[in-house]
Every structure is written in structure tokens, then in C-alpha cells.
Amino acid sequence: MPIKSSDITPEVLFRQRRRMLGIGLASLSLPLAGSWFGDTEELNNNIDNVTPGAIVQPELKATELKIINSYNNYYEFGFSKEAPSGAEKTLITSPWSVEVGGIGADKPGIYDIAELHGEYGIENHIRRFRCVEAWSMVVPWNGIALAKVIKAAQPNSKAKYVRFETLHDEQQMPNANWAGGPYIEGLTIAEAIHPLAMLATGIYDKPLEQQTGAPVRLVVPWKYGFKYAKSIVRIDLVERMPRNTWWRQNPNEYGFYANVNPQFDHPRWSQATERVVGGFGRQKTLLFNGYADEVAYLYPDLGDRRYFY
Amino acid sequence: MDLRRVLWLIHLGMIIFVGWQGVMAMQAADLVTYLRDVSGRTASYLLLGTLLFAPLSRLWPRLRLYIKVRRYLGLWGFCMVLIHVIVWVSLEFAFDWSLMWQEVNDNLFIWLGLVALILLLPMAVTSNNKAVRRLGFRRWQGLHSVAYLIVPLSLGHYFMAQKVASGEPIVLLLVLLLLMFWRFKYAD
Ligand code: HEM
């Protein structure tokens, strides 16, 4: 049985969410957490109603581009924060194609970046970015709504999860094999069609750099940074929960959902506060990285630890 | 080489190193993490280095002539820990003591660092000839064997501060393990 989101979302929160999303997500019977999507038509309707532009955050002060481009985690190009930006520019980002497919896609396709832009239009969103290592930035992304790409693939009833795969090429990446294979990330289908989820291709109206995940990366602002798969070459709609790289690396410390929550500490450090990169002092971390009003309905039990690591 | 010249070179080297790292930090994307991490790492090398003297001077008895080098490695290590902690208290936490207290309580790895720091204090204060004389060599030596606690605590702290089990602290911990093994085998 599908559970109505209004059944599990406190009324106030739910109304706030609808206000925030404006006319988006008209359907009130959004299935939860991607565990159930009985009706493909309903899924497609939901995607149609995604209006990412409805969520604006004018109050955020974006981090300088210089900082965004020089403080990175991209293990394929080195393990320190400085290594990825210092690495030789060996990644060939043009031509580039993203293959969209999987058992849950009735209409697989191969896209290049220009096609993605041309077809879906570029959106600009300033979003908080919170790394699992307890530092944060504010990034003005340019990109497209992930929901639109998923919609184009015509998801069927087997599309329960979305699996993202990063390029895996020893010639182009000095540490291509650090995790023993390509970097994998995943979302539930409900998360993936959420208006906050985007495929970013630029920052500050400039194309992504090698170290920030050129030419296209995932952006899911309510989750920890390791979920933002970089340099994506494949997007698959799949039936089973993908085993994402960090989960595989250390299942006691990293899981699938990885939603930001100041109350649920990492086994070895606190998530209560964060350092704003480039600044001084620390600030308090917010539930779902400040996007609780928009995304809390996706997670039926906020006390469930699985959602937060 | 004459001991005084070696000591002089160590001090000069460390002063140049600190200045150079200061310049690097100004160019780093994040000044605060850069300073915090480089001082923490340098402290770990120096503190681990002090423990190498005993086994190495058994191999090369001539090294005993340079035993004073160990004292200054330790003191420079202590200076690095001070920088590390001062950066943490001032630049990272802006003197917000309640937030710091919360952070210490939430993070086992910071507890380890804090205990290491507290144990370092009496050692740093007694790293001079006067203290050796006042305490008597046996007691002074007893006090300074706390180093065998401080270094494992520091390296445990370093290891736990990483997102993933990473190479460098593991190598340092292995060196430490070998050292400890030697220590028990040849304890005199
Ligand atoms: C003997 C004492 C200590 C030593 C040798 C030491 C050494 C280190 C080292 C090597 C790192 C890792 C740097 C890196 O990742 O490159 C580190 C990180 C850190 N240390 Fe210490 N430390 C000591 C004491 C302390 C104390 C007393 C505190 C705080 C009260 C502290 C707070 C931290 C913090 C916050 C980090 C950063 C963790 C992160 O990456 O988020 N340390 N320390």
C-alpha cells in the first residue's frame, strides 16, 4: 500500500513544504523513500510537476570561486584537499557522453553536455554544500533538473533507484583504482526526481573544473558531499538499491542515504557543527542541511539511523 | 659534526619551516585547516622522532653524543602541538568554549589529543638540565617515559581524524609498533 506523505509528515511541515515548492509537486500522494512506486503514470506526473526554480535561497552568501575550485575531495585525482586542483589536467571532458539506461528505463539514451543543456535549459541555484568531514561551502550551481533526464528515460515500474557511475579511466585519473572500481552513487527514485536534485555542469556560470567533477556531476544539497558523484558517465534506473562506493568502503561509517543530520554523529566525529571553508569559527549544522522543509517527507521515520549515515 | 652546530641547524630549519608554512597557509584554500593539519602532522613526526633515539643509538652508539637533539625535537613537537591547539581554539572555534566542550565530548579523537597535550605539559616544562638535576635522573627519566603514552595517543588521534583508513598514520603507527616491540625486547 502506498503511504500518503501527509500521513507521516507533521501537518505544519507539510504545509511549509507545499508553500516552498509553490505549484510544484501538485500530487499529494507522493510515494515515500522510493521503496514503492506502483504506478508509473503517477511517477511521471510527479516528474512533470517538478519546478526546481520554486526553491530560492537569496539569503545565502556564496563561497568564492577560488576557494570552491581549490578545496576538493576527488580521490581519483589525489587524497588531500589540495591535490585534485593541483593535479595535471588529464581529464578529457569534451567530447563527453552520459548514458542513461537500466532495467527501469523504457527509453534509454546517450546525451552529450550540449544536448542536456539544449534540451532541458540551464538553471541556477545557490545551495549549501555540507561534507561528511564537517566542513561546508555555499555553491552557486548551474545545471539541469535531474528529474527531467529521468523523465526522458521513461521510467517503468522497475525504476526504484537511480545509480550514478563516475568515469573510471586509469589514463585520465592517477588514482582511478583507489576504490577498486568506478565511483558509484545512488538515490531512490523519489529522491532523484526531487526538485532539489540536479545535474550540475557549472559553478558561477563557468564550466565545472576537473577537480569539481567536470563536466557533469550530481548535486543533492540535503545529503553529505560524497553523494555528489562527479564526472558522471552512466545513469541507470534500477530495481535494487545500488551499493555506493563509500558504503562499500566502510559500511559501519557510511551508508546509502547519508542525509545531513547534526544529531547523528559519524562514529568517529561529531556532525553537530561545521567549518565554513575560507572563514573563521564554526556554525551549527542544520537538519537535512537546511532543506528539511523540502525533503523531510521523503523519510518516514526521522529517528531511523539508516537515513543519516 | 659538532653538537652545537647540529642544534643550530635544527632550530634554523624549524624556523624556516614555520615561516614557509605560514606563507603556504596564506595561499591555501582554507587557512584554518591548513595550519591545523600541518602543525598536527609535524608534531606527530617530531614526537615519534624522539622515540627513535633509543633504538637507533643502540645500533649506532655514536648517536649518544647527540642525545640532546632529542630534547629539542620534543620541544619543537610541543610547539607544533601548541600551534595546532591555538589554531583550533582561536581560528576554528573563535573562543566559543561551550561549542568546543561539546565538540570535545562528541569526538573521541579530540579526547585522545587533549590527553596527549596534558601529558606533554610536564615533559615540556622539565626539558632542561636544571629539571634533571632537581628531580634526579631516575625520577626525571620516569617522568619522561610518558612519551611512550603520548606518541600512541597522538597517532591514534591522527588516525581517527581521517575519513578513511589512510596510509600515513598507518605507516607511523607501524613504526611505533616496531619501536615498542624493540623497547620490550631490549628493556634495560
Ligand atoms: C599531542 C597532541 C596532538 C597531536 C600530535 C595532534 C596531531 C594531529 C594530526 C596529525 C592531525 C591530522 C592532520 C591531517 O589530517 O593532516 C590532527 C587533526 C586534528 N586535531 Fe590534533 N593533535 C594533537 C592534539 C590535539 C588537541 C589537543 C586538539 C583539540 C583540542 C586537536 C584537534 C584536532 C582537530 C580538530 C583535528 C582535525 C580533524 C579533522 O580533520 O577534521 N588535536 N591532529
Side-chain angles (χ1 to χ4, degrees):
Chain A
M1 272 297 289
I3 316 163
K4 289 199 167 61
S5 52
S6 50
D7 290 341
I8 51 83
T9 315
E11 184 67 12
V12 179
L13 207 143
F14 187 69
R15 250 187 268 125
Q16 270 173 350
R17 175 173 64 81
R18 290 187 54 210
R19 179 169 50 76
M20 294 297 286
L21 298 186
I23 52 158
L25 301 178
S27 161
L28 296 189
S29 55
L30 261 190
L32 293 160
S35 51
W36 189 90
F37 245 123
D39 183 349
T40 329
E41 200 179 316
E42 185 187 334
L43 166 62
N44 282 302
N45 282 339
N46 285 332
I47 298 176
D48 277 342
N49 289 322
V50 168
T51 54
I55 302 170
V56 278
Q57 293 187 297
E59 82 279 14
L60 290 177
K61 186 177 168 293
T63 305
E64 275 176 60
L65 182 61
K66 197 185 85 191
I67 294 173
I68 295 173
N69 277 340
S70 55
Y71 191 86
N72 311 97
N73 275 326
Y74 198 166
Y75 281 12
E76 284 75 356
F77 290 101
F79 296 115
S80 71
K81 296 286 175 300
E82 296 79 24
S85 51
E88 259 185 83
K89 303 290 173 219
T90 46
L91 187 71
I92 301 160
T93 56
S94 171
W96 187 276
S97 58
V98 182
E99 202 171 335
V100 183
I103 192 171
D106 282 343
K107 192 165 170 287
I110 298 180
Y111 304 87
D112 66 30
I113 303 301
E115 274 171 333
L116 289 176
H117 282 160
E119 220 150 306
Y120 306 116
I122 301 183
E123 294 167 5
N124 309 302
H125 300 296
I126 301 183
R127 302 287 186 227
R128 293 191 191 86
F129 177 98
R130 170 62 158 77
C131 177
V132 73
E133 299 166 336
W135 53 266
S136 73
M137 295 181 178
V138 172
V139 185
W141 302 103
N142 321 111
I144 59 179
L146 176 59
K148 293 185 179 171
V149 177
I150 288 175
K151 158 94 173 158
Q154 293 184 3
N156 57 39
S157 61
K158 289 197 165 131
K160 301 232 162 61
Y161 294 91
V162 185
R163 180 183 182 277
F164 301 85
E165 186 174 323
T166 295
L167 178 78
H168 181 242
D169 184 328
E170 286 163 48
Q171 249 84 56
Q172 296 184 51
M173 300 166 148
N175 294 333
N177 281 320
W178 76 270
Y183 193 91
I184 303 298
E185 257 312 333
L187 297 173
T188 66
I189 190 86
E191 291 174 329
I193 65 160
H194 191 281
L196 280 169
M198 70 190 288
L199 287 176
T201 51
I203 295 172
Y204 275 109
D205 298 324
K206 297 191 173 65
L208 293 178
E209 303 269 339
Q210 175 171 294
Q211 66 272 21
T212 50
V216 56
R217 77 178 299 180
L218 181 62
V219 171
V220 272
W222 69 99
K223 292 177 179 287
Y224 291 120
F226 68 85
K227 296 295 294 181
Y228 295 45
K230 303 190 187 80
S231 309
I232 294 170
V233 290
R234 281 199 68 88
I235 299 175
D236 287 311
L237 309 188
V238 295
E239 203 171 4
R240 264 181 291 168
M241 186 184 274
R243 290 267 281 168
N244 49 312
T245 294
W246 276 103
W247 181 14
R248 233 179 301 174
Q249 286 290 309
N250 193 342
N252 296 322
E253 300 190 352
Y254 308 98
F256 176 79
Y257 289 95
N259 295 310
V260 177
N261 188 338
Q263 310 271 325
F264 284 77
D265 287 341
H266 184 278
R268 286 177 293 129
W269 59 79
S270 152
Q271 296 292 20
T273 65
E274 64 205 34
R275 257 195 57 60
V276 182
V277 177
F280 299 109
R282 290 179 86 93
Q283 66 184 27
K284 291 210 149 60
T285 291
L286 302 169
L287 178 63
F288 292 110
N289 202 22
Y291 301 98
D293 287 350
E294 289 85 10
V295 301
Y297 74 94
L298 290 167
Y299 310 100
D301 177 9
L302 295 189
D304 189 339
R305 194 176 175 278
R306 271 184 318 136
Y307 290 135
F308 299 107
Y309 81 107
Chain B
M1 217 189 327
D2 151 50
L3 173 66
R4 285 194 32 211
R5 193 169 299 167
V6 173
L7 290 180
W8 192 82
L9 277 174
I10 287 175
H11 296 320
L12 185 72
M14 283 307 297
I15 289 166
I16 291 174
F17 176 78
V18 169
W20 174 58
Q21 288 301 332
V23 173
M24 298 292 285
M26 300 306 282
Q27 289 160 5
D30 191 49
L31 174 86
V32 182
T33 27
Y34 188 93
L35 286 177
R36 185 194 67 199
D37 290 354
V38 80
S39 57
R41 262 181 281 126
T42 311
S44 323
Y45 308 147
L46 291 169
L47 296 178
L48 181 63
T50 61
L51 296 190
L52 288 174
F53 261 82
L56 291 184
S57 58
R58 185 175 285 265
L59 276 177
W60 300 296
R62 256 183 64 80
L63 207 62
R64 278 169 222 246
L65 298 174
Y66 296 95
I67 195 67
K68 222 175 178 177
V69 167
R70 177 169 72 178
R71 170 183 294 172
Y72 290 102
L73 290 186
L75 282 171
W76 274 111
F78 177 68
C79 280
M80 293 298 130
V81 174
L82 280 186
I83 294 176
H84 186 67
V85 174
I86 290 169
V87 166
W88 187 78
V89 168
S90 61
L91 302 183
E92 184 161 359
F93 277 86
F95 303 99
D96 185 338
W97 299 103
S98 69
L99 204 56
M100 271 185 261
W101 181 239
Q102 189 190 341
E103 193 74 7
V104 172
N105 270 318
D106 283 355
N107 293 267
L108 178 62
F109 86 94
I110 297 188
W111 264 118
L112 298 187
L114 208 54
V115 173
L117 170 69
I118 291 166
L119 293 176
L120 263 175
L121 289 172
M123 279 186 72
V125 174
T126 57
S127 284
N128 51 67
N129 291 341
K130 226 202 233 151
V132 181
R133 255 178 276 123
R134 213 176 43 237
L135 288 168
F137 183 69
R138 278 286 147 206
R139 270 168 66 200
W140 178 89
Q141 202 181 28
L143 176 64
H144 280 243
S145 57
V146 175
Y148 285 96
L149 215 61
I150 293 173
V151 175
L153 285 169
S154 308
L155 296 184
H157 165 84
Y158 183 2
F159 180 75
M160 285 177 69
Q162 310 302 313
K163 183 159 69 174
V164 59
S166 66
E168 188 173 301
I170 293 177
V171 170
L172 298 183
L173 278 162
L174 281 177
V175 172
L176 177 71
L177 211 69
L178 278 174
L179 253 165
M180 292 296 218
F181 176 74
W182 175 90
R183 182 79 220 168
F184 278 105
K185 195 139 182 231
Y186 297 103
D188 42 26

